[in-house]
Amino acid sequence: VDSLLDDGVLTKAEVVKEKGFFLKLLESGDEDVRLGAWREVVDLFDNGILTKAEVVKEKVYFLKLLESSDEQVRTSAWREVLDLLDKGVLSREDHKIALQLLEFGDVFVREGAWEKVDSLLREGILTKAEVVKEKVYFLKLLGAEDEDVRSKAWETVSRLLDNGILTKAEVAKMRDYLLDLLESDDYDTRYSAREVAISLIDKGVLSKEDRKRLHRALESEDEDDYYP
């Protein structure tokens, strides 16, 4: 629909007039069809084709996808949850779903959820007490085997320290996983690790020995400008 609107093939008014057919897809008995429709919801919402009230009315059919017996459908549906939370389709009454995201088995989905914790707290979907109870699942991300997941998780640490979800002691115990990223083969990962390490030195989380290790990493790339 986006491309048809952009190319002028259809007008917004014409699409809005026919949206009843799309709303039926949101409750389709075919899970693949239903999932495909729910993947389009945010774009149609942003374009003003659908209203929040119309989508909220259908959300029970989305929630059923989260419990699908088909693992691929189930996992794909969980990946849509954050966007639906952002748009207010899912709300405080669905907070148990948000909590499940924070401990989700797929580390990519889980890491993405923890990136959104600030907004989940701000919008009142989760409480600080609820998030604190789940932080063990975030701490595991700090040592994730996948460097991209681990790097992004470490980028979230400062915010979680600032809002009192994590303690300095908890982060300090995991610091070797961050320092190992200083020697990653990927430049962007090394750069991110340096920036995070510098911020954690400022917060008093990393030690003098950690600072020396950071300094050695910087010297190896002749980028002393990053040294705090």
Side-chain angles (χ1 to χ4, degrees):
V1 169
D2 282 349
S3 60
L4 294 175
L5 289 171
D6 291 341
D7 294 340
V9 177
L10 293 175
T11 66
K12 179 179 175 180
E14 289 172 330
V15 176
V16 169
K17 188 176 180 179
E18 303 297 331
K19 66 180 175 181
F21 294 102
F22 177 80
L23 290 170
K24 288 294 183 183
L25 295 178
L26 295 180
E27 55 188 68
S28 172
D30 185 313
E31 287 189 336
D32 289 320
V33 171
R34 195 192 326 164
L35 176 62
W38 278 97
R39 282 174 169 166
E40 301 300 321
V41 160
V42 170
D43 284 341
L44 294 175
F45 190 84
D46 288 343
N47 283 332
I49 305 300
L50 300 178
T51 68
K52 187 166 92 171
E54 289 169 334
V55 179
V56 168
K57 188 176 180 180
E58 303 291 338
K59 75 175 181 179
V60 62
Y61 298 100
F62 173 78
L63 296 178
K64 289 179 180 179
L65 292 174
L66 301 179
E67 300 176 355
S68 172
S69 59
D70 185 316
E71 183 178 359
Q72 185 173 350
V73 168
R74 188 172 64 251
T75 300
S76 296
W78 275 101
R79 289 173 178 158
E80 302 300 314
V81 168
L82 284 175
D83 285 338
L84 296 178
L85 285 167
D86 282 343
K87 296 302 180 182
V89 174
L90 301 181
S91 58
R92 172 61 189 170
E93 67 181 16
D94 305 302
H95 72 283
K96 290 183 179 179
I97 292 172
L99 288 173
Q100 285 178 267
L101 275 181
L102 297 183
E103 58 186 62
F104 204 70
D106 184 312
V107 293
F108 296 95
V109 174
R110 193 195 325 161
E111 187 280 321
W114 280 96
E115 281 188 39
K116 297 285 188 178
V117 159
D118 282 351
S119 62
L120 293 174
L121 291 171
R122 186 170 54 253
E123 298 298 326
I125 294 168
L126 295 178
T127 66
K128 179 178 175 180
E130 289 170 333
V131 176
V132 167
K133 287 181 180 179
E134 303 294 327
K135 66 181 174 180
V136 62
Y137 297 100
F138 176 78
L139 290 169
K140 290 179 180 179
L141 292 174
L142 298 182
E145 289 186 21
D146 186 283
E147 280 194 351
D148 189 46
V149 170
R150 195 194 322 170
S151 178
K152 288 181 178 179
W154 277 101
E155 290 172 4
T156 305
V157 164
S158 286
R159 296 200 303 275
L160 296 180
L161 283 169
D162 290 343
N163 60 29
I165 303 299
L166 299 179
T167 67
K168 291 181 181 180
E170 290 168 336
V171 176
K173 287 180 181 179
M174 305 296 292
R175 66 183 184 275
D176 283 344
Y177 293 105
L178 169 65
L179 298 175
D180 285 346
L181 293 177
L182 295 172
E183 301 171 7
S184 170
D185 292 333
D186 180 71
Y187 174 80
D188 289 337
T189 299
R190 294 196 306 275
Y191 180 86
S192 174
R194 292 196 297 269
E195 294 297 298
V196 172
I198 289 170
S199 71
L200 294 182
I201 286 172
D202 290 341
K203 290 180 180 295
V205 175
L206 299 186
S207 67
K208 290 182 179 180
E209 288 302 313
D210 299 327
R211 182 172 177 145
K212 290 178 181 178
R213 185 169 175 183
L214 172 61
H215 187 40
R216 289 195 296 271
L218 296 175
E219 286 184 325
S220 69
E221 296 198 42
D222 294 324
E223 292 183 4
D224 288 330
D225 287 343
Y226 293 108
Y227 183 56

